Amino acid sequence: MARIVVIGAGTGAMAAAARLAVAGHRVTVYERSATYGGSLGRFERDGFVFDTGPGLLHLPAVYRDLFVKTGKEPLERCVQLGQVDPASRHVFADGTGVRLPNASRAGVVSALDAALGAGAGERWGAFLGRARDAWDRSRRPLLEEPLWTDRQVLGRDPYPAVRQRRLLRGARRAATVAEIGAWELADPRLAALLDGYALSYGLDPRHAPAGAALLPYLEQTFGSWYVRGGMRELARAVYERCLARKVEFVFGAEVTRIAEKDGGATGIELADGTVVAADRVVAGIAPGRLVERELWDDGEPRPPGAGGAPVPGRFTVLLALRGARDGDAVHRTVVHSPDGSAEAADVFAGRTAERPTVAVLRPDDAATRPDGDHEAVTVTATVAPQGPVDWTDGALRERYADVLVAAAGAAVPGITERLMWREIRTPADTAAQTGAAGGSVPAPALAGASGRLLRPANTTRLSGLYLAGGWAHPGGGLAHAGMSGALVAGLIVEGAGFRGSQ
């Protein structure tokens, strides 16, 4: 039985902790904040309850597997998990709107044809077929196995782009998300739909590899799921599973250094000077500031933002509204920017986009509101992180919240007249609460782009130090974080020969 220290109580770190405890190890989690969950936060006031992080879950099979492997109670006995249908509503710059059904490719094709005109659904359906090929080609090495030592295969884009013939010029193939939209989808609204998926994960559609097509494929194939009471309930369930498996938690304990000796991790040091010995250390955060050595060899993937462009964060406005939720309201509405290219240029150059794409969440959940005569609504946009933009500036926060609320009016009629109060959350708040530099939110790992969007391996040059969570392979997002926990546990329990679940 090994003594294992886990740094951080995010979902990926807790997933690793629960699996390691079941394998017989003694596991203690040290968390700098006063609670568990990482990005899965919650804000409560006057009977209103809001998620301050992800509002939906994709690939719930990841957490079903976690609960099966760590106890007799399945996930559905610990949380009320249900599909959201329709999965989303999209409002485009020309005023066109479309509701996309959950986990139904035929239904999506039909809805797009009806809303955008004959042929639109067929083009999107053909695109999803190619995205499925990208998924089949990259699924195991990208998501289900430890990062391969030979990463060249993941540097190649798995998306089978259509060969575009051009008169008097050479043929071309889409290499980025934006090029797929322009050359294969051939409708600015379909292009905006695809760009919106990339942007929601903090990816620049102009430069994200075509392989990012697997993101809408995953959502539209495996569905969008909501946890009754808010997504914070998922974090609670994982935390309670850890406790049931005798994982210990120490909150308010900031780790300032990973102790090492003879090239191996030997424990951690806390802000108060306490040194905790360990046989293995699992970092659920970006560990660079905790060590004095370089953790990766030349050419290996680095954490997002390490020496490169800043990684975006989220600007969120929590709205307490008077009046009941409309009977035909949709859980998630995306109001697309009238100029997505300009929006991306601003966000990824460290500026505020004046006409952002916003996601509006209106859960039909009595647990989120004081009674049936009120409604809790969350409005979110992808924005530049703290640093390039000073999100501590009170005037800027209020002005930008006004911009988001105005855009959300396309999803919630009369939103300003119904408003009782609002709470604003920016990347500066994310940085303060989670410790993420600049309040950045890591994107999932992607194949293609010569490996530029791969994440650091779950093992490091410091023997005994393992990485879990969104800053490590296979990247950000709830499902990916859960996968990272499974990979770390497998590497510790089975050793370097571990190749993932079969």
Side-chain angles (χ1 to χ4, degrees):
M1 178 178 70
R3 299 168 299 170
I4 298 178
V5 161
V6 177
I7 305 171
T11 50
M14 290 196 295
R19 291 175 181 271
L20 289 167
V22 166
H25 298 295
R26 192 173 70 204
V27 184
T28 304
V29 177
Y30 291 85
E31 166 58 45
R32 67 188 291 273
S33 72
T35 188
Y36 56 85
S39 65
L40 282 177
R42 170 179 284 170
F43 178 79
E44 300 182 49
R45 174 181 164 187
D46 301 338
F48 292 90
V49 177
F50 303 88
D51 286 319
T52 59
L56 291 170
L57 174 65
H58 303 112
L59 283 179
V62 172
Y63 287 91
R64 290 189 178 116
D65 181 72
L66 170 65
F67 276 73
V68 167
K69 299 290 177 56
T70 59
K72 296 180 180 180
E73 270 195 312
L75 175 63
E76 275 80 358
R77 287 189 185 175
C78 300
V79 297
Q80 296 182 50
L81 183 66
Q83 284 188 299
V84 174
D85 202 9
S88 58
R89 175 178 175 238
H90 294 264
V91 180
F92 301 105
D94 66 354
T96 307
V98 61
R99 297 183 179 213
L100 301 181
N102 201 348
S104 171
R105 178 171 168 178
V108 168
V109 168
S110 178
L112 289 171
D113 272 337
L116 307 186
E122 181 180 355
R123 289 194 298 277
W124 185 263
F127 157 72
L128 285 182
R130 295 187 291 275
R132 178 193 59 211
D133 290 343
W135 166 252
D136 290 340
R137 293 172 179 178
S138 60
R139 174 176 59 89
R140 284 201 62 81
L142 184 64
L143 301 177
E144 297 178 354
E145 297 182 352
L147 190 63
W148 291 1
T149 302
D150 177 9
R151 293 178 292 277
Q152 282 190 330
V153 65
L154 289 174
R156 297 191 292 269
D157 201 312
Y159 179 78
V162 176
R163 190 169 182 264
Q164 306 283 328
R165 297 182 182 276
R166 298 185 294 172
L167 185 64
L168 302 179
R169 288 183 290 176
R172 64 187 180 185
R173 296 178 189 270
T176 66
V177 167
E179 289 173 349
I180 292 175
W183 302 347
E184 296 183 7
L185 298 178
D187 183 311
R189 296 163 298 185
L190 291 179
L193 177 61
L194 177 57
D195 286 356
Y197 278 102
L199 189 63
S200 69
Y201 284 98
L203 298 167
D204 186 344
R206 302 168 303 164
H207 304 296
L214 62 82
L215 298 174
Y217 170 78
L218 290 177
E219 179 178 316
Q220 295 188 10
T221 300
F222 300 107
S224 297
W225 301 73
Y226 174 71
V227 177
R228 185 67 54 180
M231 294 302 298
R232 171 72 176 175
E233 288 297 291
L234 178 63
R236 175 198 55 77
V238 176
Y239 171 67
E240 291 181 353
R241 177 54 53 90
C242 285
L243 294 180
R245 298 299 163 257
K246 308 303 182 185
V247 175
E248 297 182 7
F249 285 81
V250 182
F251 295 108
E254 181 176 4
V255 176
T256 57
R257 186 175 70 90
I258 295 173
E260 60 179 281
K261 182 179 180 181
D262 299 329
T266 59
I268 60 171
E269 183 175 335
L270 304 178
D272 64 4
T274 301
V275 176
V276 180
D279 301 303
R280 302 285 189 277
V281 176
V282 176
I285 62 173
R289 63 179 178 81
L290 303 180
V291 294
E292 297 178 355
R293 65 168 61 213
E294 178 58 58
L295 292 175
W296 300 280
D297 292 322
D298 290 342
E300 285 190 293
R302 299 299 201 267
V311 179
R314 305 286 185 267
F315 190 106
T316 301
V317 189
L318 314 176
L319 304 174
L321 304 184
R322 62 176 59 87
R325 182 180 185 271
D326 304 335
D328 64 345
V330 174
H331 186 109
R332 179 181 59 170
T333 298
V334 179
V335 182
H336 292 271
S337 169
D339 191 343
S341 181
E343 176 186 17
D346 284 335
V347 169
F348 292 93
R351 301 187 297 263
T352 56
E354 293 307 311
R355 305 172 83 182
T357 296
V358 301
V360 183
L361 298 184
R362 306 178 67 185
D364 185 11
D365 184 355
T368 65
R369 53 187 183 254
D371 53 49
D373 293 325
H374 296 84
E375 183 181 6
V377 173
T378 301
V379 184
T380 302
T382 297
V383 297
Q386 171 66 20
V389 175
D390 182 10
W391 291 116
T392 64
D393 182 330
L396 174 60
R397 291 164 60 100
E398 294 295 334
R399 183 187 68 78
Y400 208 64
D402 290 340
V403 170
L404 265 65
V405 172
V412 187
I415 190 170
T416 54
E417 292 79 10
R418 296 176 58 194
L419 182 61
M420 298 169 58
W421 52 261
R422 71 187 188 187
E423 178 76 13
I424 301 170
R425 295 298 176 95
T426 76
D429 300 305
T430 303
Q433 292 161 10
T434 69
S440 296
V441 179
L446 290 176
S450 300
R452 176 171 50 85
L453 293 177
L454 296 176
R455 300 301 177 232
N458 305 107
T459 55
T460 70
R461 290 176 63 188
L462 183 60
S463 175
L465 174 62
Y466 298 81
L467 309 182
W471 301 103
H473 178 73
L478 280 177
H480 293 71
M483 293 176 195
S484 77
L487 292 174
V488 166
L491 287 165
I492 292 175
V493 173
E494 299 185 27
F498 173 70
R499 301 313 305 160
S501 58
Q502 300 299 318

